Amino acid sequence: MSQPMQPGRILLSCAVLVALGLPAGAAPDEDLLGKAAGYPIGSRANWFYDESVRVGSFSHLDSILQHYMLKKAVSPRPLPKISTEPRIEYRFEQQTRTLDDFLNHQRVTGFLLIRDGEVLTERYQYNRNAEHRFVSHSMAKSIVSITVGMALAEKKIASLDDTIARYVPGLAGNPYGETTIRNMLRMASGVPFQEVYDGKDDLTKFNRIRLTQDSVAALRAFTTREDEQGTRFHYASNQTVALTLLLRAVTGTSVSEYLTTRLWQPMGAEADATWIRTKDGTEVGSGSFNAVLRDYGRLGILLANDGALGGRQILPKDYLLDATDWHRQPEAFAPRKATPYFGYGYQFWLFPGEKRRFALLGVYGQSIFVDPELKLVMVITAAAKNASVGKEPLARERDALWRGVVGRYGSW
C-alpha cells in the first residue's frame, strides 16, 4: 500500500495540474453538465437535448416519465471483483493511453469491465454511483431482439419470415406491416426514414404522432419504400417499435412483464430495471430502458456465454448466434458493408474481424461490448456532447480502448 500523500504534496500536485491546464480531479465538462446545480433532472421537454440536465436525466429518466418495472432477482447473481485492478492501456492518436486517460477526457458516467464473470474495474463520474439506473437509449433495441428470440423459441412467433401484419393486423397494407420480422430485425424495411436527432427529423415526426395518437398510427404515417425489403441496412428506430408491437400482440402482455421472469430475474439482476412506456401502453422499445451499471454487466455476461448461466440456457442459443455473428448475415449487412465500420445483425452491431464480437449501442455513448471467446464485457454509460458520437472522438477512442482490452487478454 502506498503512503498517504502529505497536504503540502497535494497542494503542489494541484498546482502542477493547474499549470498544465488540467483539472484537478474534475470530470470532463462537468460545469456544462450541471455540476453547480447538483446535476439537475430535466423535464419531459428538455431531458434528451439539454446538456445542462443530461447527467441527471440520463440517470433518473424513470422519475420524469411513466414506466414499467422489471423486478430484481430474489437472489442476485454474485458479481465478484478481483483484488487488483489491471492496468489497461491502448493506442489512440499515436499515443499510449490508460483507462484513466479515457475517463479524464470523455464524458463517461459509468464504466465497468468484466472478464469470466468477475469485475476487473468499476468506475463512476459526475457523482453517479452503483445505485443509479442509467438510460440505455438504443441499447434497448438489442433487448427487444432478445425478446423476439424468446417468443420464437416459445412458438409464439411461427417464423421470422412471417410479416409483422400477420400478428399486428392494424399494419396490414402498410410497408412496415408487410415487412418480414427478419428484415425488420435487420433494419431493412426499405422505408425511407431520417434519424439525425435534430428535433426536425422523421424520428421527431414519428414520436409526435405516437405521443398524440398511438404506435400504429405513427408507423402508418410512413407509406412508401425506397428499396426492396431485406436488401439494404438503414437505421430507423421506428422499425424496433414495429417489433415491440409484434411482441405485445404475441405475448399478450408488456415486454417488461414478459422479460421479468424470463431474463431479468434468471440472469440474477441485483436491482429493479424500468422501461419507459407510451400512451398506448407499449414500451418505447427503441430506447428508454433503465438499469444499474452492474446489471448491464450481468446482461453482457449472459450474452458472452451464448445465453447460458449456471447450466441453464436462458436465451435461445441459435437465435443469439444468428443475431450476433456477421458470418450469418447477407453480405449487405456485413462489417464495412452495412456501415463504414460495423455490420448489423438482429438489432446488434457487429465488429469487423473474423472472431465474433458485437455491441449494444445507444446515442450519447451508451454501450456494451461483448467478446464471447474471451468472456469479456465492457459497459459504458455516458453523457456525450453529440447524440451521434461518431461526430466526436468518443466513438474512435472507445473502440481503441476496447481493442486494447481485447489485446491484453487475447488477440484481435
Side-chain angles (χ1 to χ4, degrees):
M1 177 180 287
S2 59
Q3 294 297 315
M5 185 175 285
Q6 299 301 313
R9 295 176 65 188
I10 294 175
L11 291 173
L12 179 60
S13 297
C14 291
V16 170
L17 288 169
V18 171
L20 292 173
L22 299 173
D29 298 333
E30 58 185 17
D31 293 332
L32 293 175
L33 292 168
K35 180 182 180 181
Y39 297 112
I41 302 168
S43 65
R44 288 172 176 266
N46 73 349
W47 74 267
F48 186 81
Y49 290 110
D50 186 347
E51 70 175 351
S52 71
V53 299
R54 191 163 294 161
V55 168
S57 300
F58 284 13
S59 51
H60 292 89
L61 187 58
D62 48 26
S63 72
I64 305 172
L65 302 168
Q66 290 188 321
H67 56 272
Y68 291 110
M69 182 168 285
L70 294 80
K71 296 296 289 183
K72 65 183 179 181
V74 175
S75 300
R77 183 176 181 84
L79 197 57
K81 188 171 184 177
I82 65 169
S83 57
T84 304
E85 182 177 299
R87 180 177 175 83
I88 302 299
E89 294 184 336
Y90 61 99
R91 294 286 295 175
F92 185 66
E93 294 183 339
Q94 300 181 319
Q95 292 182 328
T96 298
R97 298 186 175 182
T98 68
L99 175 58
D100 286 337
D101 294 325
F102 180 74
L103 297 175
N104 284 340
H105 56 255
Q106 298 296 350
R107 294 173 168 191
V108 172
T109 52
F111 180 89
L112 184 65
L113 186 62
I114 297 170
R115 183 179 181 230
D116 288 330
E118 291 186 314
V119 174
L120 302 181
T121 184
E122 180 177 6
R123 307 279 192 91
Y124 298 91
Q125 299 192 117
Y126 306 102
N127 296 345
R128 302 304 94 179
N129 59 51
E131 295 183 359
H132 281 103
R133 277 197 288 261
F134 296 99
V135 69
S136 66
H137 290 313
S138 290
M139 296 197 300
K141 292 179 170 69
S142 304
I143 299 175
V144 169
S145 174
I146 288 168
T147 317
V148 170
M150 290 179 159
L152 180 68
E154 293 179 1
K155 303 191 185 307
K156 297 180 184 298
I157 296 170
S159 169
L160 294 184
D161 296 314
D162 288 341
T163 65
I164 299 287
R166 173 174 173 176
Y167 304 94
V168 187
L171 290 176
N174 175 266
Y176 288 123
E178 304 307 326
T179 297
T180 67
I181 300 167
R182 193 185 310 276
N183 287 334
M184 202 70 84
L185 285 164
R186 287 180 174 143
M187 293 280 186
S189 68
V191 179
F193 191 88
Q194 184 189 45
E195 185 163 339
V196 294
Y197 316 107
D198 63 355
K200 304 173 185 177
D201 57 3
D202 286 332
L203 181 61
T204 305
K205 170 187 172 182
F206 175 81
N207 286 335
R208 186 180 302 117
I209 298 171
R210 195 180 187 196
L211 179 65
T212 56
Q213 299 181 51
D214 59 27
S215 302
V216 170
L219 287 164
R220 292 195 69 90
F222 298 85
T223 59
T224 60
R225 290 193 204 271
E226 61 182 358
D227 297 299
E228 181 183 350
Q229 66 168 290
T231 60
R232 184 170 73 91
F233 169 75
H234 180 77
Y235 188 84
S237 287
N238 66 343
Q239 295 181 85
T240 312
V241 173
L243 295 170
T244 307
L245 290 178
L246 163 76
L247 290 167
R248 184 62 182 254
V250 302
T251 65
T253 187
S254 68
V255 177
S256 300
E257 183 177 350
Y258 183 76
L259 285 181
T260 295
T261 57
R262 290 169 172 83
L263 170 66
W264 208 243
Q265 293 173 348
M267 79 175 195
E270 70 178 57
D272 300 337
T274 59
W275 209 333
I276 304 305
R277 69 183 199 178
T278 64
K279 179 182 176 182
D280 62 19
T282 57
E283 286 85 353
V284 170
S286 57
S288 298
F289 186 88
N290 306 275
V292 301
L293 194 70
R294 292 165 68 89
D295 283 340
Y296 282 131
R298 286 180 174 89
L299 176 59
I301 291 170
L302 181 61
L303 294 170
N305 285 279
D306 296 335
L309 281 179
R312 176 185 176 188
Q313 193 69 39
I314 297 171
L315 307 180
K317 182 176 180 179
D318 287 344
Y319 177 89
L320 192 56
L321 292 175
D322 285 344
T324 61
D325 187 344
W326 71 259
H327 297 86
R328 298 190 179 206
Q329 313 305 322
E331 184 178 358
F333 302 89
R336 306 193 192 281
K337 294 290 181 65
T339 78
Y341 185 69
F342 285 109
Y344 203 75
Y346 295 167
Q347 309 275 296
F348 285 87
W349 299 91
L350 313 180
F351 281 95
E354 284 305 304
K355 295 183 179 180
R356 182 169 66 100
R357 298 188 181 98
F358 55 91
L360 297 72
L361 298 177
V363 290
Y364 294 109
Q366 321 321 308
S367 38
I368 303 174
F369 289 1
V370 180
D371 184 319
E373 179 183 333
L374 299 176
K375 298 295 184 285
L376 279 172
V377 176
M378 186 174 80
V379 184
I380 293 173
T381 57
K385 185 173 183 61
N386 296 284
S388 300
V389 294
K391 296 179 178 179
E392 58 185 280
L394 175 56
R396 291 182 296 110
E397 188 165 8
R398 178 181 60 185
D399 184 72
L401 172 60
W402 175 239
R403 287 173 177 266
V405 170
V406 169
R408 177 183 174 91
Y409 297 103
S411 63
W412 193 262

